[in-house]
Amino acid sequence: MISLLSGLNPEQLEAVTLPYQSALILAGAGSGKTRVLTTRIAHLIHSGQVSPNGILAVTFTNKASREMMARIAAMLPINTRGMWIGTFHGLCHRMLRAHYQDAGLPKTFQILDIGDQQAIIKRMLKDLAVDEKAFPPRQIQWFINHAKEEGLRASQVEAHDSFTRRMLEFYRVYETLCMREGMVDFAELLLRCYELLTRNEILRHHYRDRFSHILVDEFQDTNRLQYRWLKLLAGVDLPRSAVVFAVGDDDQSIYAFRGAHTGNMQDLEHDFAIQKIIKLEQNYRSHGNILEAANALIEHNRGRLGKNLWTSEGHGEPVRVYNAVTDFDEAAFIVDEIKALHSEGVALSDIALLYRSNAQSRVLEHSLFNASLSYRVYGGMRFFERQEIKHALAYLRLIAHPDDDHALLRVINFPPRGIGARTLEQLQDEAKLHQTSLWSAALNKSGGETTAISDEGKAKKGLPSFVHLIMMMQRACANLPLPETIRYMLTHSGLLSHYGLERDGAERLENLNELINAATSFVHEAEDDSLVAFLSHASLEGGEHQADHHQDALQLMTVHAAKGLEFHTVFLSGLEEGLFPHENSRNEVNGLEEERRLMYVAMTRARRRLYLSFSQSRMLHGQTHYNIASRFITEIPDHLLKWLQPLSKVNSESFRSVSEQAGFTFGRNSWGQSAGKEAIQERLTANSSEQLSRWRIGQNVSHAKFGTGVIINYQGEGADIRVQVQFNRAGTKWLLLEYAKLTPL
Ligand code: ATP
Ligand code: MG
């Protein structure tokens, strides 16, 4: 226990042991903000200033809150499970569950994730006979969420034009729909919780009395509503309010596009009468060169609050830069480096592959898979978003709450049970007419509860069979433990046998079994292990936790998802104009500065080694793009960079012709340093025209894996030529000529 405060530097110690007063710790990446926050919680409890019940701590991701609990548990012999540590969404959800009646929600209310929400908006548009082209669902979704994040209900939004009036109409209908089906979207969790505390004095007092210390990590990314929620909970208007301890870094504010409001920092200072802002300037994470590179980059932003980060570690290694010819080449390079690092003893889980957009992960995944390197993708196609899992969850939702139209529509005819579009239409008409859920309409139509049950045993088809199935599941699962409920549902719904028959069903079956495992570990870990609690967990958690987390695996994620984390080695790929900085932001100062902060976040995740790579051509959304290196690379001083060496000799003639043909342009660094230039030359020579002339449409070829076939088409230029081959057995495929190793026949 003596070790609790030891090892902290004087500023950190001051922050951890501050007396009962609100504080803002403003400090750069890797300076120990999260460590200070966690240590302060342990210190407050350990020194008897507050019981674990009196603490509310907000983190940005589920991963971060799990880590925080683990760190506290390592410092103190207490059970952190019941503590109020979580994300804004998670904490609000917890309050709403506890007070669902006061919040005007059904006991079994369900959470809608982004995908569900979009599906519901689409369904609504169909019901209203509105053309999706005139009012794209995404736009409506953005409008609704944005309004909610500003704390506004439809009646509170001012509409000065016909477009906004139309949007408000959608907002209203959407709300009615969600309420009728007992569904709550992410933004609603927060807004409803805020409204609950505003309206209900008893609850407000209860929570204000309870939480005397509110601690917030990544404060720079809070939005207005989250800030108002904190303020309300702390009770700043009272003589003795809770104290707020917020840590943040203005240079890492990367959620402005989702309503994050950096003005919250100034508001906090003012509203909570903060006398002193503590700064931490020593970075404990990264070696000198990495830190210096990140500092130099972020200096290009204006209007910063200003910090000076230093490290007592040595310079370490230079930042490595790789200039690839294609995205495949980039991935191949990354794979080679990973293999080398791994053989030197770096754990795969201590290596991160970061990218700006999710779409970039595909090529990387492909190469990692071929190289048999284990990896986990965070925030990509998340476990609970997979089709088969969504189907399974829909059945579970119906067991818990059959009035959930969304769930019902998903599985009423899946696996197919002969319920056609006509039956469904009649059902929807009926439900509309009587203002009921589809389930009530189905019950009516299939002869009511009694017939459905007394019919048991007889072979049923169509709607009655579905009604019967759901009722049977409800009865059977009423007293089963959660994993058994899932097992029962998987068998009786027909999902297992359906996917068992599918050609590519093996992986889906594996995932369905994984759902049982997920439920088993949920039952062990959660306080409330009911089906309803599990369903909420599935929506909030995203399922990253369920993936096999014991295995040593590379970590793939977007830069946004990497916030707050650290790794021995970071590969940051796709550093190209248009991709990073993203094209939507390039022409606008605020947008560009936010991209630069994102780049700063990415670079500062690395402890020892940082790789930056870009590719001259890249296949994205089915098109080949020719790129120039990101300006961010040129913003890093040359002496901190190491351009990786080419492999062999150079043919400058073919280099120039191919690169001109492809329209390549390079940033200062790639021209300025011969190593980078030679690397490009070497790769391009491999594809010089003399090699290309060996191929023509109609050419018979053979491929090591796909066998023999004939070239039927080609696209791209220079180094990026892809050919389409119709294989005799393996079907038609597009292959990158440089890598396909085709043999002419
Ligand atoms: P970010 O801005 O990226 O969220 P942060 O400011 O929250 O970073 P931490 O993650 O808390 O920084 O700390 C960065 C690393 O430095 C961690 O590995 C942490 O354990 C280590 N660290 C922090 N303070 C000290 C210290 N006083 N002595 C040794 N290591 C420290
Ligand atoms: Mg942190």
Side-chain angles (χ1 to χ4, degrees):
M1 216 65 69
I2 357 131
S3 62
L4 237 181
L5 302 179
S6 64
L8 298 173
N9 69 33
E11 294 77 27
Q12 291 179 329
L13 185 67
E14 182 190 359
V16 167
T17 56
L18 270 183
Y20 196 83
Q21 71 189 49
S22 289
L24 175 61
I25 316 296
L26 186 64
S31 59
K33 295 183 296 299
T34 304
R35 176 162 162 162
V36 161
L37 191 139
T38 313
T39 315
R40 180 166 167 85
I41 295 176
H43 171 69
L44 287 170
I45 298 172
H46 179 60
S47 59
Q49 298 178 57
V50 62
S51 81
N53 284 341
I55 285 181
L56 180 115
V58 190
T59 64
F60 217 75
T61 59
N62 295 307
K63 192 172 161 67
S65 64
R66 276 196 303 276
E67 266 176 34
M68 191 168 285
M69 288 193 222
R71 283 206 211 178
I72 296 171
M75 289 188 265
L76 291 178
I78 58 167
N79 183 358
T80 51
R81 203 191 271 184
M83 285 181 72
W84 283 70
I85 298 177
T87 60
F88 280 104
H89 290 132
L91 295 170
C92 287
H93 171 247
R94 191 161 166 182
M95 281 191 193
L96 292 177
R97 278 275 170 235
H99 313 290
Y100 65 91
Q101 275 166 321
D102 294 309
L105 291 171
K107 182 162 194 243
T108 51
F109 76 86
Q110 293 298 315
I111 302 173
L112 292 179
D113 65 22
I114 304 290
D116 294 332
Q117 188 187 29
Q118 216 172 81
I120 284 178
I121 291 173
K122 283 189 176 169
R123 178 149 60 86
M124 169 183 84
L125 291 181
K126 211 165 154 201
D127 278 356
L128 296 172
V130 170
D131 184 3
E132 278 190 18
K133 287 201 194 72
F135 294 96
R138 269 172 181 276
Q139 196 171 8
I140 299 174
Q141 185 176 25
W142 184 87
F143 181 89
I144 294 173
N145 291 343
H146 183 71
K148 287 187 179 185
E149 274 156 16
E150 292 285 311
L152 299 171
R153 293 288 174 196
S155 58
Q156 297 164 309
V157 181
E158 284 182 31
H160 298 295
D161 55 88
S162 59
F163 180 79
T164 317
R165 273 193 288 278
R166 203 68 210 271
M167 285 290 163
L168 284 176
E169 243 175 81
F170 296 141
Y171 188 178
R172 281 197 197 94
V173 178
Y174 169 81
E175 284 294 275
T176 321
L177 223 115
C178 287
M179 279 310 100
R180 196 176 67 217
E181 298 180 29
M183 294 181 306
V184 171
D185 60 46
F186 282 162
E188 181 75 19
L189 283 173
L190 210 83
L191 181 53
R192 199 159 270 261
C193 186
Y194 176 75
E195 289 172 346
L196 173 71
L197 292 175
T198 318
R199 288 184 196 143
N200 193 320
E201 205 181 333
I202 298 174
L203 284 179
R204 192 166 66 241
H205 284 308
H206 167 77
Y207 283 109
R208 280 178 173 178
D209 283 348
R210 175 177 176 153
F211 299 124
S212 54
H213 286 269
I214 298 178
L215 301 98
V216 192
D217 199 0
E218 309 275 4
F219 184 75
Q220 76 279 355
D221 281 325
T222 50
N223 67 29
R224 279 176 212 266
L225 184 60
Q226 289 165 339
Y227 181 70
R228 280 163 61 190
W229 183 83
L230 286 171
K231 213 169 126 180
L232 186 66
L233 207 56
V236 273
D237 48 332
L238 302 176
R240 186 171 168 82
S241 62
V243 292
V244 170
F245 185 89
V247 308
D249 176 5
D250 58 309
D251 288 333
Q252 294 186 68
S253 155
I254 54 175
Y255 278 95
F257 74 100
R258 263 190 4 204
H261 178 58
T262 37
N264 284 349
M265 294 221 194
Q266 282 94 46
D267 292 350
L268 186 85
E269 255 187 278
H270 172 257
D271 293 341
F272 289 81
I274 286 171
Q275 278 136 36
K276 187 174 171 205
I277 295 179
I278 298 181
K279 291 194 175 183
L280 309 174
E281 303 205 310
Q282 181 168 2
N283 173 297
Y284 289 93
R285 180 180 292 145
S286 311
H287 272 168
N289 285 336
I290 296 173
L291 191 61
E292 209 182 313
N295 281 343
L297 173 99
I298 199 68
E299 256 168 40
H300 288 79
N301 272 7
R302 292 171 307 180
R304 300 170 55 223
L305 298 175
K307 283 176 252 74
N308 210 355
L309 276 182
W310 61 277
T311 174
S312 64
E313 302 271 345
H315 292 301
E317 300 170 17
V319 174
R320 290 171 166 80
V321 187
Y322 183 71
N323 177 345
V325 179
T326 66
D327 40 359
F328 285 90
D329 172 23
E330 184 184 42
F333 162 75
I334 292 175
V335 164
D336 281 351
E337 292 292 313
I338 291 171
K339 282 184 177 161
L341 283 163
H342 192 43
S343 68
E344 288 161 20
V346 183
L348 292 180
S349 57
D350 216 3
I351 301 177
L353 275 58
L354 306 183
Y355 33 80
R356 174 70 181 82
S357 328
N358 268 316
Q360 283 168 254
S361 76
R362 201 185 46 81
V363 175
L364 291 171
E365 284 187 66
H366 183 77
S367 303
L368 296 173
F369 181 79
N370 283 342
S372 305
L373 287 166
S374 314
Y375 64 89
R376 280 172 65 191
V377 185
Y378 286 83
M381 181 65 161
R382 301 184 307 174
F383 179 73
F384 287 118
E385 285 169 10
R386 289 167 204 269
Q387 187 214 78
E388 61 278 16
I389 299 297
K390 282 263 178 195
H391 285 321
L393 291 176
Y395 277 106
L396 293 176
R397 282 179 173 216
L398 290 174
I399 294 176
H401 183 78
D403 289 328
D404 186 333
D405 284 2
H406 181 57
L408 185 134
L409 284 171
R410 184 172 259 279
V411 291
I412 190 167
N413 199 33
F414 192 94
R417 50 177 69 86
I419 299 178
R422 238 181 89 76
T423 312
L424 204 56
E425 195 185 321
Q426 285 169 357
L427 207 58
Q428 282 170 320
D429 288 347
E430 186 111 342
K432 214 170 185 172
L433 186 70
H434 301 293
Q435 290 286 305
T436 60
S437 65
L438 291 171
W439 171 251
S440 306
L443 269 183
N444 264 339
K445 226 168 129 39
S446 58
E449 194 169 336
T450 37
T451 356
I453 292 178
S454 65
D455 267 355
E456 199 165 6
K458 272 198 234 160
K460 278 189 274 309
K461 279 219 170 104
L463 196 58
S465 84
F466 178 72
V467 170
H468 173 67
L469 173 69
I470 299 298
M471 287 174 40
M472 184 178 83
M473 285 186 182
Q474 285 174 331
R475 263 182 300 144
C477 298
N479 295 313
L480 285 182
L482 184 61
E484 291 311 313
T485 296
I486 297 180
R487 208 185 297 276
Y488 185 94
M489 175 278 296
L490 288 176
T491 313
H492 288 84
S493 64
L495 285 178
L496 284 187
S497 45
H498 176 82
Y499 285 122
L501 293 174
E502 243 187 26
R503 212 156 57 95
D504 304 319
E507 193 188 326
R508 295 191 195 274
L509 286 180
E510 233 171 71
N511 285 333
L512 288 173
N513 278 320
E514 187 57 36
L515 187 65
I516 302 177
N517 296 341
T520 310
S521 50
F522 178 76
V523 168
H524 285 306
E525 284 174 19
E527 269 185 296
D528 174 1
D529 62 2
S530 66
L531 173 57
V532 170
F534 178 68
L535 288 169
S536 307
H537 164 81
S539 311
L540 282 173
E541 172 78 26
E544 286 156 7
H545 195 30
Q546 274 65 42
D548 184 1
H549 50 285
H550 301 298
Q551 197 189 6
D552 181 29
L554 296 159
Q555 318 257 321
L556 270 68
M557 66 194 91
T558 62
V559 182
H560 278 103
K563 202 160 68 127
L565 308 180
E566 59 185 34
F567 308 90
H568 175 281
T569 296
V570 168
F571 288 90
L572 182 56
S573 60
L575 279 170
E576 294 135 31
E577 285 290 304
L579 202 55
F580 200 180
H582 197 272
E583 58 187 343
N584 298 343
S585 63
R586 274 191 298 178
N587 300 324
E588 191 219 319
V589 177
N590 290 342
L592 186 62
E593 296 213 337
E594 175 138 330
E595 292 288 304
R596 196 176 279 114
R597 289 193 293 271
L598 201 52
M599 176 77 181
Y600 175 75
V601 169
M603 294 172 74
T604 52
R605 298 308 97 202
R607 293 202 306 266
R608 297 291 170 259
R609 224 176 230 238
L610 174 63
Y611 289 87
L612 308 176
S613 58
F614 64 98
S615 172
Q616 296 154 30
S617 72
R618 181 177 301 278
M619 194 76 162
L620 265 185
H621 313 300
Q623 270 189 331
T624 305
H625 295 259
Y626 295 100
N627 309 300
I628 61 171
S630 167
R631 72 190 71 192
F632 294 152
I633 295 183
T634 66
E635 290 174 1
I636 301 170
D638 282 342
H639 73 274
L640 301 171
L641 302 177
K642 177 178 179 186
W643 288 78
L644 295 177
Q645 286 296 328
L647 302 170
S648 64
K649 61 182 180 338
V650 176
N651 175 339
S652 59
E653 263 318 292
S654 81
F655 164 64
R656 195 171 331 122
S657 67
V658 180
S659 64
E660 273 167 9
Q661 178 195 356
F664 298 150
T665 333
F666 299 103
R668 159 170 71 86
N669 282 310
S670 52
W671 280 119
Q673 308 231 340
S674 62
K677 186 170 154 193
E678 282 166 22
I680 306 162
Q681 288 170 337
E682 195 279 331
R683 309 299 309 206
L684 287 173
T685 314
N687 255 337
S688 62
S689 48
E690 133 262 338
Q691 191 198 2
L692 296 175
S693 64
R694 284 160 62 202
W695 310 102
R696 57 183 169 75
I697 289 180
Q699 167 94 51
N700 287 316
V701 292
S702 149
H703 181 271
K705 191 160 150 215
F706 304 129
T708 53
V710 56
I711 295 182
I712 54 172
N713 200 354
Y714 77 96
Q715 58 169 227
E717 290 164 303
D720 194 45
I721 290 196
R722 283 158 210 257
V723 291
Q724 192 179 25
V725 183
Q726 192 176 347
F727 288 103
N728 299 333
R729 274 180 291 111
T732 306
K733 300 199 184 302
W734 279 102
L735 301 169
L736 196 68
L737 201 48
E738 189 180 2
Y739 293 97
K741 300 221 171 64
L742 293 175
T743 319
L745 295 177

